[in-house]
């Protein structure tokens, strides 16, 4: 049976929220210059296992040395994100 529920929605129900990280790293050929990389994935706050897994991969496989990582996280789905309807329209 094929599930029609998206993987991202299931993760949100499990407690994951959308995490965005701005990663500043040094260019390998020009270490005085910084480059920005934006990473986004559903992750668990405050431990961020997905982000830590990605950063471990970065340190092992990518030549650009990490300078800093800035993280923002959006929490669970909340009722405040729903907008009530003030009227009803019937279409024939």
């Amino acid at each position: 049976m094929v599930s029609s529920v998206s993987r991202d929605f299931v993760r949100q129900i499990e407690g994951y929220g959308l995490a965005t990280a701005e990663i500043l790293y040094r260019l390998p050929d020009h270490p005085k210059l910084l480059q920005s990389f934006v990473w986004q994935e559903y992750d668990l706050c405050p431990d961020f296992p997905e982000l830590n897994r990605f950063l471990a991969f970065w340190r092992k496989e990518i030549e650009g040395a990490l300078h800093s990582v800035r993280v923002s996280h959006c929490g669970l789905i909340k009722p405040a994100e729903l907008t009530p309807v003030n009227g009803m329209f019937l279409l024939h």
Side-chain angles (χ1 to χ4, degrees):
M1 183 171 143
V2 177
S3 175
S4 62
V5 178
S6 75
R7 176 183 171 268
D8 294 337
F9 180 74
V10 171
R11 293 195 83 180
Q12 288 179 20
I13 298 300
E14 293 171 345
Y16 285 73
L18 189 61
T20 304
E22 179 188 26
I23 301 167
L24 291 179
Y25 64 97
R26 298 189 183 279
L27 294 176
D29 295 339
H30 304 283
K32 291 185 180 182
L33 296 177
L34 294 176
Q35 181 73 33
S36 177
F37 178 81
V38 176
W39 174 91
Q40 196 170 50
E41 183 65 60
Y42 285 96
D43 210 348
L44 289 169
C45 182
D47 296 328
F48 298 106
E50 300 294 332
L51 176 59
N52 283 314
R53 192 174 359 264
F54 177 76
L55 293 175
F57 166 81
W58 183 293
R59 287 184 195 103
K60 182 179 176 186
E61 301 293 333
I62 298 178
E63 291 181 27
L66 294 173
H67 175 271
S68 60
V69 179
R70 184 168 50 174
V71 180
S72 67
H73 183 265
C74 180
L76 299 172
I77 300 172
K78 336 180 235 311
E81 294 177 5
L82 301 175
T83 306
V85 176
N86 292 331
M88 183 183 291
F89 300 96
L90 298 175
L91 298 175
H92 296 284

